[in-house]
Amino acid sequence: MSTETYDELTAVPVPTAAFLHDHVIQAHFSIIDHGRNVKRTLSKSISLDSFTATPSEEVIGVVNTAYSASGKLKAILRETGDEKDKKRLVEIWNNDTVLLACKDVSDVHGIFYADAFFDSLCFSDSEKYITYVAEKKKPTEKNSFEKFKYSQPFGEGLVGKYTPVLFLFDWQTDRLVSLDYDAPVWFGQALFGPSSDDKIFATGYETASDERLLGIKSCYNRPTGIWELIIAHDEKNTTDADSLKCHVSKLTASHISCRSPRVISSNGKSTLLWVSQPTGGAHGATSALHSLDITSSVEPSQTRTLVDTVWEPAEGDFPGLYLLDSGLPRTPYVHWGEGDYIVTPTNWGSRFTIVLISLYDGTVKELTPVVDEKLLSWSAIMASKGNKLVCVRSSLTNPFEMVLGDLGASGSVSWNVVHKAVLSEQLQSRLNSLTVKIVSIPDRFPTETILIQDKAALQDHKILPCISIPHGGPHGANVVSFSAPVCFLALEGYTVSLPNYTGSTGYGEKYIRALIGQCGQLDVGDCIESVRHLVKIGAAKEGRGNLLLAGGSHGGFLLGHLIGQYPEVFTSAVLRNPVISAGEISTSDIQDWYFSEFGLDYPLSSLPLGYTGPSTSSKVIIPPRIVTPEVYSKLYHASPIAHIHKVTASVLLLIGDSDQRVAPTQGIGYYHALRALRTDSPDDIEMLIFPGEGHPLEGVEASKVVWLRTAKWFNREAV
């Protein structure tokens, strides 16, 4: 087993941000430093004329960055010092060289928010103001009841974030104020209205009717909406006040969950865009794209649906919008020919691709189709301006590239690579030794699997052991984007299969909803049939040590079912933070998942369209959902725990003790039950616990241990 191979694969720079200026791209990259067990951020400038780049420089202390529309001003949210002496600063720079303002906000609020859900750092059109979100300052008085008052976090992946506050900074006068309002909602993804310093549009996050704050990461069915905030100009908003009062109004209906507002201004017209999914139900349904003309006034009744939900696409047709946590790109607008468009990456089957959407009639055009059977995944649009856009693409055997797209007037698109990872000659040669293809599973549409195989083994007609890795969610997808762990396993001498089962995103809403109420049956059936089909076509073979499993979360749920329902098929399994008993909800931040995904109603209500404050009608009150004996029985029989007595495979459990999505007790309980049942083979059951790690097990050291131990665990089975 090659630790060096893992280290080099995971040290590949990952593009995280780009800012497109007239003659240069300012690009940021994340790299893993295994020597110090940390992730570091690098920055470099890339010339648009020659595509040459400056040497990389490390970015230290910068939490978030935003440029003004003119590109002349830059806002930075910076943190310095250690936890005991943390300083938080808001900086405004002119042309990246002159510091115009620097305000110490350490005593005003807590941590800055720069995540996909609350990031609101932006300039107003006048460039006099910026807005951003930070954590409310906690009470410090001794014996204060307030500091012990119950508050809920926003769940997995949002550690330390309980009470987000929207701030407005007038950098010319050095005045910083919080924006106050009378509504039971928290605002994020805020941006200024067109040509306005006092109008803001934002995503509003609400609690469920029992005041439970459900986790929002990868969950797009929450009670959320698009809101308008207007800063009140009256005698109460004095120049020395610490806060400004806002009038708020909800612009979207209660039955849809809306996010990712964007304002597009072109040819004297301003348009507000956002995406939506149904409130409640599947966590990752197909999105719709909406638009509202806000040029002269904001009239929610004039909202148009530009791109509607696609139910069942014809073969090869657009399957609908499937966006990541970040939603639409921060700057999605492009002008092409005579038309105005937005561009966005979307999940389309087993890959991500870039689509062009007309702001006139919602027509969708794929800009990056598969060409010459080269399976590329276009996972992000970092920036766009005029007719240019900066994208990120990769494949399972080619690490991330940053490319510049130029939309020609004739309808053509030209692409130029502006950054490419530099690999050692040996590693590049080994990656070139792998081949990737997508295999459809007969009679199980839309089920298909991404298959990574060794070319030499194929030429020698040698069948390598096959590791199947179903994705989590369940409404997620395996895609052909570069994955260091997958490449690592393939280079360790395994065929790797990445199945997409019914319920996966990227195939149409019909197949999302088909899984609701069928978890543990339909998805499990698709996975076992994908394995059987690979055996049938000679890509895998049966027998001890030949069919292996790895997966986390809902993927771990599927593994528990597969080794329990088909003990004669699989030799070994590695489960990361798995769902083992769906009836034991415990501390999960997505309590509704355990109901709705298994066909049990968990209604979510939201504030109504037009809500402006306590005096207007509020959300419908829904009785809390309780796990009754009947509910528990249904969930128990749909869970892997119901099949534990039949498990014969060797099992490695990898558990993050700070997982807020799936209670660590699920995996720990499974471990102890297996140990009790398998007294004749105790070495076949093992568990590693990772202190401080959450659901993804993505810390530098934790991730390395996870995948090196996984490979070693499977290598035990080599025959």
Side-chain angles (χ1 to χ4, degrees), residues 407-420:
L407 307 178
S410 63
S412 62
V413 186
S414 61
W415 300 100
N416 288 286
V417 176
V418 297
H419 166 82
K420 186 172 184 175

Side-chain angles (χ1 to χ4, degrees), residues 220-239:
Y220 314 130
N221 63 341
R222 297 300 182 231
T224 60
I226 304 301
W227 291 68
E228 179 186 40
L229 295 77
I230 300 176
I231 301 172
H233 292 288
D234 54 38
E235 65 279 1
K236 294 181 181 179
N237 284 338
T238 57
T239 56

Side-chain angles (χ1 to χ4, degrees), residues 65 67-68 130 188 235 247 286 361 365 391 410 490 653 717:
T65 301
Y67 282 89
S68 64
I130 66 166
E235 65 279 1
H247 298 303
T286 314
D361 59 9
K365 174 184 174 63
C391 304
S410 63
L653 289 149
E717 308 297 339

Side-chain angles (χ1 to χ4, degrees), residues 255-413:
H255 68 280
I256 53 175
S257 177
C258 303
R259 61 191 177 105
S260 191
R262 300 290 184 264
V263 172
I264 307 296
S265 296
S266 174
N267 299 320
K269 180 180 178 181
S270 296
T271 303
L272 177 65
L273 302 173
W274 66 89
V275 293
S276 77
Q277 292 182 190
T279 301
H283 281 215
T286 314
S287 292
L289 175 66
H290 308 277
S291 71
L292 177 63
D293 187 339
I294 57 171
T295 306
S296 56
S297 63
V298 179
E299 299 291 342
S301 62
Q302 301 302 308
T303 297
R304 289 195 304 148
T305 299
L306 271 181
V307 179
D308 210 342
T309 298
V310 176
W311 179 253
E312 185 179 11
E315 184 176 357
D317 283 358
F318 173 62
L321 284 175
Y322 301 92
L323 309 181
L324 296 174
D325 282 341
S326 53
L328 295 170
R330 191 69 178 180
T331 54
Y333 172 75
V334 294
H335 185 76
W336 195 14
E338 299 298 319
D340 293 324
Y341 300 86
I342 65 165
V343 285
T344 185
T346 181
N347 179 197
W348 190 323
S350 293
R351 56 191 291 269
F352 271 87
T353 190
I354 304 296
V355 293
L356 183 81
I357 303 174
S358 168
L359 292 179
Y360 173 68
D361 59 9
T363 301
V364 178
K365 174 184 174 63
E366 186 180 11
L367 290 183
T368 53
V370 175
V371 178
D372 298 329
E373 298 185 352
K374 190 174 183 180
L375 293 173
L376 292 173
S377 193
W378 299 70
S379 54
I381 296 176
M382 295 291 183
S384 61
K385 186 176 183 180
N387 66 334
K388 291 181 170 57
L389 57 154
V390 180
C391 304
V392 176
R393 71 182 184 187
S394 66
S395 73
L396 275 165
T397 56
N398 290 282
F400 303 101
E401 298 175 338
M402 185 174 285
V403 293
L404 177 68
D406 197 326
L407 307 178
S410 63
S412 62
V413 186

